[in-house]
Structures are given as C-alpha cells and as structure tokens.
Amino acid sequence: MSNLTRLRPEDTDSSSAEDLPLVTDEGPRSTSRGSRAAARAAASDEGFRTSSRRSRIFGGIALGVVVVGTLFPFWWMIRTAFSTNNAMFSDPLSLLPVEFTLGAFERVLGIASTSDALAEGGSGADINFGLYLLNSVIVCVLITVGQVAFSSAAAYAFGVLRWRGRDTVFAIFLVALLVPGIFTLLPNFILVKELGLLNTFIGIALPSIFMSPFVVFFLRQFFLGVNRSILEAAVIDGAGTWRIFYRIAAPLVAPQIVTIAILQFIFYWNDYLWPLLVGQSEDTKLLTVGLGIFKSQTPQGSPDWAGLMAGALLAAVPIFILVVIFGRRIVGSIQSSGVK
Amino acid sequence: MPARRSDFTSTKPARRSDFRSAMLFLIPALIGFLAFFAWPTVRGVYLSFTEFNLLQPPEWIGLDNYVAIAGDPVFWNSLVVTSEYVLINIGVQTVAALVLAVLLQRFTRSMVVRGVVLLPYLIANVVVALVWFWLADYNLGLINSTLDAVGFDRVGFFGNEALAMPTIALINVWRHLGYTTLLIFAGLQAIPRDVYEAAEVDGAGEARTFFGITLPLLRPVLAFVLVITLVGAFQIFDTIAVTTGGGPVDATRAITYYIYERAFGRFDFGYASAMSVILMIILGAVALIQLRVLRANDSDLER
C-alpha cells in the first residue's frame, strides 16, 4: 500500500492532538499467565465480555488458527532456506529442513563458489545479498533520518509557530497526500535522470528525503498537543526558536518521532518499484530489488527455492528484529490511526 | 527577549519574526513538496499530452495518447483485471478483518497476538510474494504436495488464467489482513460499552448484537478503512512483478504494471503518463465516493 494513503481523510481538519491516544499507552500489560485472573477481572469490568464457555473455546480455536496461518509461511521460509534443493524433491511435506545445510545462505551471500552453487541447485549467477543488505541500510537510514528530521521541523512550523498563511500552506501541503504514488513515479524518474542521479543512493533517496506529507501531518498532531506554557517559559528564559524546537518541543514529542521513524524505515526497507527504477547497478541495488532479480535469474524449471527463501529471510530479518523490539509501538501507532 | 514572548502568547498569528523562523523550518519540506510532488504532478499531466521516449524532448500531440488508450484492448483489460483484484482483495480482506477484529476484542487482550497478526504487513511485498509463490508452486510447493498427498489434482495457481489474479489477491489479503484488522479493532474499542449492556438487558443474541449494533456503529471506521485499502489496492504492482509478470496472457496485467511496462519496457512515457492521469482520476473518484459515504455516517456515534 502506498505510503501516501495512510492518512485518515477526516483528519485533515482535525484540531488537537489530545484526540489521539498516546501511541505507547496501549492496553493492559498483563499478558503473563500469572496475572490472568486480574486480566479476567478487568475484562469482566467491561461488561459485555461475558461470553459463554463454549463461545470462548470457539474463539480461542479461531484465533489459534489465525495465528498459525500467519506464522506458518514464515516457518516454511526458514525450513526451506536451511534445506538442500535436491533433497526437497524426496520429501516436499517435511516440516523440518530436508538435509539441513547452510549452503543456500552461502550462495546468496556470495560466499559459495560457482560450482558449489550450481551443484546445490543455484543459478551460478552473481548474487551478493551482503552488499544489498548494506545498500538497503544506507539508503533507508539516509531517507529516514532526513525525512523525519525535516518533517519534524515542518510539523513544528505548522503546529507551534504562528504565522500568516499557515493553515493555507498546510492545506496545500496535505494535497500531496492525495496524489497516488504511481502518478508522481514517472515524472520523478525523469527528474532524477535529468539530474544525473540514476544509480546513486542520493537518487533513490531524493524524493523522500525532504519530507513525507504523512509524517508532517502525523507529527503536527503531537506538536499541537505540546503544553504551551512550557514553551512560553523557555521564551521568557530567552531561548530562541531553534533552541526551543530542539531542546524542548522535539524531546517532548520524541516517542512519536521514534515511532514514525521506525514505521518509515520499515516502509522504505520494503519499497520495491522506485529502487528498481533508480538503483539498477550492482552498487546501488537494494535488497528487495536484488531479490526480484535473483528470482528472475533462477531457472524456470527447477528454481533455487532454498536460495530464494534464504534471500527472502535475509531481507526480512531486520524487520523481525524491529518487530520484536518495537512491536507494541508499531501496533499502537497503527491502531491509533483508526481511532477517533 | 520580550519581543519573542508574544510569539506564543499572542492570538494574532502574524509576527514577523515567527514568519521568518517558520520559513527556515519549512525550507527542506517546501523543496521536497515543490520538486517531488507539485512539479511532477504538473509535469505528469503535461507529458500525458506528448510523445516522449526519454531520448528526445517531449513532442506535443494533444489528445492522441488518450484516443489511443481508448482503443487499446490491453488497457481495458488491465482495468478489468485490476477491478477483479480489487474486488476479491478488498471483499475478502474486509470481511475477514471484521471477523478477526471481533475475535480479538472478545477473546484476547494480548499485544503478542496483535503483533503476530500485523507481522505480514511489515514484511516486504516482494518477500511475501516469493514465500507464497513457493508455497503454491506446482511441483514442490507445500499446497500442491498436500493436495497430491490427499488425492486431489495439483493446481497451477499462477499458470492458470482464471486463478492467477484471485491467487495474487488472496496473497495480499494475507499480507494486509492484520493492518485492516487493527484499524477495525480500534473502531470496535471506541464503541461505548453501555450500548452493549443495553442490548444484553434487552436479551439480544450474538448475531443480533453484531448486526444491530456493532456493524452500524462501525460504519464510519469501515468507510475509512475502505478508502485507504481501495486506493492502495488499485496500485497493485510488486506481487505481480515478482510472480506472474502480467501473465498468463494478460490475466494479471493490472494497470500499474501496464503503466510500468509501457514506460520502462517500451519507453512510451507519454502514453504511460496518460494512463497514470486516468488512474489518478479513477482513484480520486473512488476516494470522493467513499468520503461521501463516510460523512453520511459520521454522526452515528454521537448520541
């Protein structure tokens, strides 16, 4: 889904950040077994969760099916990545890796020799996900840092500073949210080409590095909610606008800035079409692009499934890590975009 | 600096000093806006009236691109298959997300479960496409191996003209289900509990409560969910690029994929731009219709 479609349309005229729940303040934290009784007590406080025993069993089973259905493809990816291609013919249904090997990862990282790669069912073509991984990190950090920093400044100008024409400029700004990503794709490609920036990290980052209307909108909500008396106190102390921004206002909104930075990092990490157009050379290929090309290189008749899954896994591992560390924040921020 | 004090306390917006610093704070964002949103939009519309192959300057040809598009069966087909994708994807996804959101609300408060459900949404389209391409592979994929093992015929999910687009649509249901669920779940949480208590006192059953209370009160949220998921779904590209590449025949040649092919396969940038304009108009119309539905139901929760 396009990054530009993440806005709630009716929020364009929303007035105050207090309407949004704090993204980190989500639900009771009592998920451990020990506090189950407490959780149940809290639950029954809510009135309508007095479902019968039978429906509770049914609900538990249904949720279990959903969780398994969500996680199983990931397990299958892992299971395949550690299997040997030729052996998978013999046991396509095995739940565990067939003839456990690290060969696929060696192939994908460019460690295995060409003959080894061919012997294990690889294409023998040069693939170097280690490099693509590094490229993805460089580009995504570049975009995320630039975008979030510049968008924060813009959000501050729209949310805290007072100046003539502010609301008009902000409204014009928001229109950019409504332009579908595919529409600006071709002209932006032409522009980057004219600037001579094809096959450069800057070229890949350029359209996103200055701002995202979505991030400006998101952060403005929180700057609007910053307690003005704190800012006024700083003014009396003689702090300048810049100092107030980065010493007081931005730290107050830091949790939201971190959250949106994580979300944007994930978004650009997963982006495919734009890096595919601009980063074609080996030096500037990102992980998703490398994966797509790797897939098209692998033989049609007997694809290098283990290698493909190893590559897919490498591309997903950083996201898994982010989810483990920041899962609550990510879930909370997405939920909050759906609440009044 | 007493002059600055009024920056914050004055209710009058126009302070010269604040205007200056506001402009300084806005410079990068304004550059980004003008160079990569405003200018490309104008230029995209202009290019749609030209013949342009990247090598020579664009040549104005008026409405020729649009006339050609009107007579282009691949374009019309791309609209049909895109609609097929959107209908299956959005239909299944919305219903499944509604069910899952209710399940989540009724039976668990676990953040872990919510995180798990959201996980596919955070993984790249390309990775998701590859995993399912492998699961649904004709020869070795788990789905077909299982079908074979229990005595059914194997199914060529991606090679069959009738099945390819539904398969891609369902793969993306798997990816987006958690996201849509969380939005609806948040909407469910916002429904006041006393409404349910009243229903319980009146002796309304599960089904009655759901169709009589939950669904109507959820309409604004559902309308919002539909706007953002529809606009996103119309731009389906990554999954197609990785799995079928538009085939078999034109069965999965959706509009964005066709735009991409015309621009970067045949260097028909004018033609591709004209199709982008048409897509933008379609998306604008979809969003407008949905917004009207949204407004019409906005007051449901204000009692």
Side-chain angles (χ1 to χ4, degrees):
Chain A
M1 182 178 305
S2 162
N3 190 27
L4 301 181
T5 59
R6 285 206 231 134
L7 169 77
R8 284 171 67 211
E10 83 266 34
D11 265 344
T12 46
D13 61 343
S14 177
S15 48
S16 120
E18 277 101 340
D19 295 340
L20 288 170
L22 277 181
V23 286
T24 48
D25 201 6
E26 184 38 58
R29 276 137 218 254
S30 54
T31 48
S32 73
R33 263 178 209 94
S35 56
R36 187 174 276 178
R40 196 171 294 156
S44 65
D45 274 352
E46 287 172 20
F48 85 105
R49 302 177 97 243
T50 50
S51 34
S52 72
R53 197 187 151 80
R54 216 167 69 195
S55 75
R56 222 177 301 146
I57 291 170
F58 164 78
I61 292 171
L63 278 175
V65 169
V66 170
V67 167
V68 171
T70 307
L71 290 179
F72 188 79
F74 291 113
W75 168 248
W76 206 247
M77 180 159 84
I78 296 167
R79 169 264 188 203
T80 307
F82 288 105
S83 295
T84 307
N85 268 320
N86 296 336
M88 270 188 294
F89 278 105
S90 60
D91 203 353
L93 288 172
S94 164
L95 285 174
L96 294 173
V98 196
E99 283 188 19
F100 184 92
T101 172
L102 294 174
F105 289 94
E106 287 168 5
R107 210 150 64 233
V108 158
L109 288 170
I111 304 169
S113 70
T114 310
S115 58
D116 281 352
L118 286 171
E120 292 209 34
S123 68
D126 273 335
I127 12 162
N128 196 350
F129 277 110
L131 178 67
Y132 306 156
L133 195 75
L134 185 67
N135 291 348
S136 275
V137 170
I138 293 171
V139 169
C140 293
V141 167
L142 197 66
I143 293 177
T144 308
V145 170
Q147 184 182 79
V148 172
F150 294 146
S151 299
S152 304
Y156 181 77
F158 286 126
V160 174
L161 299 178
R162 313 219 154 175
W163 44 285
R164 197 191 294 276
R166 184 181 73 170
D167 295 343
T168 315
V169 175
F170 185 61
I172 295 170
F173 221 72
L174 285 179
V175 172
L177 269 170
L178 306 174
V179 181
I182 180 75
F183 186 73
T184 49
L185 189 86
L186 300 181
N188 275 341
F189 173 82
I190 295 164
L191 180 61
V192 167
K193 184 180 183 295
E194 285 166 347
L195 294 171
L197 292 171
L198 289 185
N199 295 317
T200 64
F201 290 146
I202 295 290
I204 301 173
L206 209 57
S208 333
I209 204 167
F210 294 108
M211 65 119 190
S212 137
F214 170 72
V215 177
V216 173
F217 171 80
F218 180 91
L219 290 177
R220 174 180 166 271
Q221 296 297 306
F222 296 102
F223 276 119
L224 282 173
V226 168
N227 190 338
R228 292 197 86 85
S229 56
I230 299 174
L231 302 179
E232 279 157 22
V235 174
I236 293 164
D237 286 349
T241 313
W242 170 248
R243 208 177 153 76
I244 294 171
F245 168 65
Y246 88 102
R247 284 290 176 141
I248 300 164
L252 282 173
V253 183
Q256 283 75 37
I257 294 179
V258 172
T259 304
I260 199 72
I262 296 162
L263 284 174
Q264 294 306 94
F265 184 89
I266 293 175
F267 179 82
Y268 291 105
W269 186 269
N270 292 338
D271 200 12
Y272 176 65
L273 183 48
W274 178 256
L276 171 72
L277 302 181
V278 179
Q280 287 278 5
S281 76
E282 191 66 10
D283 297 343
T284 55
K285 234 176 248 171
L286 303 194
L287 256 179
T288 47
V289 179
L291 258 183
I293 288 168
F294 180 28
K295 189 255 160 189
S296 63
Q297 279 175 350
T298 147
Q300 283 300 322
S302 58
D304 178 5
W305 289 118
L308 277 169
M309 290 304 109
L313 203 55
L314 281 178
V317 161
I319 304 299
F320 290 143
I321 295 172
L322 285 178
V323 170
V324 168
I325 302 174
F326 298 110
R328 183 179 293 276
R329 264 172 192 233
I330 296 170
V331 170
S333 73
I334 286 170
Q335 269 181 203
S336 74
S337 66
V339 187
K340 288 251 157 190
Chain B
M1 265 188 268
R4 294 244 175 186
R5 185 174 177 191
S6 52
D7 292 355
F8 293 113
T9 51
S10 161
T11 46
K12 275 199 227 156
R15 289 283 157 206
R16 202 191 183 97
S17 59
D18 240 16
F19 183 82
R20 258 220 210 115
S21 34
M23 285 306 115
L24 286 174
F25 275 89
L26 276 178
I27 283 173
L30 282 179
I31 293 173
F33 177 82
L34 293 174
F36 297 102
F37 288 90
W39 167 236
T41 302
V42 174
R43 197 179 197 185
V45 175
Y46 163 72
L47 287 176
S48 76
F49 298 108
T50 68
E51 193 176 317
F52 182 39
N53 63 3
L54 273 187
L55 300 172
Q56 280 122 15
E59 188 193 326
W60 184 269
I61 54 167
L63 287 171
D64 284 9
N65 283 326
Y66 292 93
V67 173
I69 288 170
D72 179 352
V74 183
F75 170 77
W76 291 108
N77 177 68
S78 79
L79 283 189
V80 171
V81 297
T82 306
S83 310
E84 186 194 354
Y85 170 85
V86 168
L87 284 177
I88 298 173
N89 178 264
I90 299 296
V92 176
Q93 181 174 296
T94 310
V95 172
L98 192 56
V99 172
L100 182 53
V102 171
L103 286 175
L104 276 183
Q105 204 209 13
R106 292 291 298 273
F107 301 110
T108 181
R109 302 197 58 92
S110 162
M111 276 307 261
V112 175
V113 172
R114 276 182 253 170
V116 165
V117 168
L118 188 67
L119 188 59
Y121 175 73
L122 302 171
I123 302 296
N125 278 323
V126 176
V127 171
V128 169
L130 277 178
V131 172
W132 282 97
F133 195 58
W134 162 223
L135 283 165
D137 178 61
Y138 188 83
N139 294 312
L140 282 177
L142 178 67
I143 298 172
N144 270 315
S145 298
T146 308
L147 286 176
D148 197 37
V150 296
F152 287 100
D153 286 342
R154 288 174 183 266
V155 181
F157 290 100
F158 294 101
N160 179 317
E161 271 184 61
L163 286 179
M165 208 45 159
T167 303
I168 289 173
L170 292 179
I171 290 174
N172 283 325
V173 168
W174 182 80
R175 179 168 186 264
H176 289 283
L177 181 62
Y179 178 76
T180 314
T181 300
L182 283 187
L183 294 181
I184 297 177
F185 177 80
L188 283 176
Q189 303 284 68
I191 297 178
R193 281 175 198 115
D194 49 359
V195 183
Y196 286 104
E197 278 158 22
E200 209 174 318
V201 170
D202 289 350
E206 296 263 345
R208 239 193 102 118
T209 310
F210 179 77
F211 287 105
I213 296 173
T214 309
L215 211 49
L217 288 181
L218 215 49
R219 259 191 297 172
V221 176
L222 285 177
F224 158 64
V225 167
L226 278 177
V227 176
I228 59 166
T229 52
L230 266 174
V231 171
F234 266 100
Q235 300 179 63
I236 168 79
F237 176 85
D238 300 2
T239 318
I240 293 170
V242 174
T243 56
T244 60
V249 194
D250 285 331
T252 59
R253 189 158 274 106
I255 174 117
T256 45
Y257 195 76
Y258 189 42
I259 290 172
Y260 164 79
E261 281 186 327
R262 285 305 282 240
F264 297 97
R266 297 205 230 166
F267 297 103
D268 247 344
F269 272 76
Y271 196 87
S273 298
M275 287 195 286
S276 308
V277 171
I278 294 171
L279 179 60
M280 185 164 71
I281 293 169
I282 294 173
L283 290 176
V286 167
L288 269 183
I289 293 167
Q290 295 296 329
L291 278 172
R292 286 196 63 170
V293 176
L294 185 92
R295 289 236 175 85
N297 293 289
D298 222 12
S299 60
D300 276 13
L301 262 175
E302 284 154 25
R303 293 167 307 138

